[in-house]
Amino acid sequence: MRPDLAIGGFLPLESLLHRLDPRTKLIGLLVLVAAVFLSPCPSGIAASTAAVACLAVLSRAGWKIWWYALARFFWMLIIVLGVNLLFRQEGRPVFAGEIELPVTWEGVERSIGLTAQLGLAIMLSLIVTLTTSPSQFARAFERLGRPLERLGVPVRELSMTMLLAMRFVPLLHHELRTIVDAQKSRGVELATGTPVFRARNFISVLVPALSGALRRAEILATAMTARGFRPDRERSAYRVLHFSPLDYLAWICLGLFFLGKIIFLG
């Protein structure tokens, strides 16, 4: 049975990464993604892979979670690999016997490297979302974006929008799966037949899903209005964000890793 985990879902576990301040994880995500794309050489990708693998283990998400989460991006990575193979024509051509293929060895190497870097970036974003709740994510974004308020950027409104989006995605995912299972139990075929036939049957899923999303949005708007929510006012927090010694240790590890890639592999 596959895990019931939506894209951007949060796993309420106990791990070192769960205990980190969300601001540390957000900034760490930016630093690590930059480090991943900083050195496209094989040794740099190997070092980034080792670091991401260690973080995946520290997240304590089982291999089934990772298998199911990464499987969603499989075809996207295949498309990226194929497009890069076709459009990178510099270098020595590849031969299959006496037939010259429309790819080059340098293009193959760079395409595999770029696809691996993109896969590592996806894994880093998944590590952050799996170990950070939507409310923590939104609070970290709001705290880090406060300097932008002086430039007129509506940081509070953006953080609230982000929070609502992250809350709604798992709910809509679960509701969509429930509707699909209900329609299948009624004999509606969604995976067989011609494309036109499948598109017509998909309407029986799309209409109730859209209706449910609008109904949830209306209920949420009514509840926020009844509780006196005002986006332009300062909101208090039950738990105040603060850095712990574990965060300082994470900062040191991030700095050493980034400097190491610049000095030795940059």
Side-chain angles (χ1 to χ4, degrees), residues 57-212:
V57 173
L58 291 176
S59 68
R60 297 189 63 184
W63 67 269
K64 291 183 179 180
I65 295 293
W66 282 112
W67 178 267
Y68 179 56
L70 293 176
R72 298 172 173 177
F73 301 95
F74 175 76
W75 288 110
M76 183 189 73
L77 296 176
I78 292 297
I79 292 174
V80 171
L81 177 63
V83 170
N84 278 273
L85 284 175
L86 294 177
F87 284 93
R88 289 183 180 269
Q89 297 297 327
E90 67 277 4
R92 297 176 293 108
V94 178
F95 288 90
E98 297 182 355
I99 302 176
E100 181 179 348
L101 301 180
V103 296
T104 61
W105 288 110
E106 286 75 6
V108 171
E109 181 180 351
R110 293 184 180 181
S111 299
I112 293 176
L114 179 61
T115 305
Q117 288 175 313
L118 183 59
L120 292 175
I122 292 174
M123 285 193 65
L124 287 172
S125 63
L126 288 174
I127 289 172
V128 173
T129 56
L130 289 175
T131 60
T132 310
S133 65
S135 58
Q136 290 179 335
F137 200 97
R139 288 176 58 195
F141 178 82
E142 181 179 355
R143 291 289 297 273
L144 293 175
R146 279 185 177 179
L148 297 178
E149 292 182 347
R150 299 179 181 180
L151 302 177
V153 179
V155 177
R156 298 176 185 173
E157 289 82 350
L158 290 177
S159 63
M160 178 57 64
T161 303
M162 182 185 302
L163 174 62
L164 295 178
M166 295 181 70
R167 291 286 191 184
F168 261 76
V169 166
L171 292 176
L172 294 179
H173 176 262
H174 179 73
E175 185 170 356
L176 183 61
R177 286 188 56 185
T178 302
I179 295 173
V180 169
D181 293 339
Q183 295 298 338
K184 287 182 178 179
S185 66
R186 295 186 177 97
V188 178
E189 295 292 340
L190 301 174
T192 59
T194 63
V196 177
F197 178 77
R198 294 170 61 182
R200 290 178 178 175
N201 288 342
F202 189 72
I203 296 178
S204 62
V205 176
L206 183 61
V207 172
L210 182 60
S211 176

Side-chain angles (χ1 to χ4, degrees), residues 32 36 42-58 120 123-124 127 257 261:
L32 290 176
V36 165
S43 57
I45 295 177
S48 300
T49 303
V52 174
C54 291
L55 293 176
V57 173
L58 291 176
L120 292 175
M123 285 193 65
L124 287 172
I127 289 172
F257 179 75
K261 294 207 68 172

Side-chain angles (χ1 to χ4, degrees), residues 25 75 220 239:
K25 287 182 276 190
W75 288 110
L220 178 62
R239 294 182 179 179

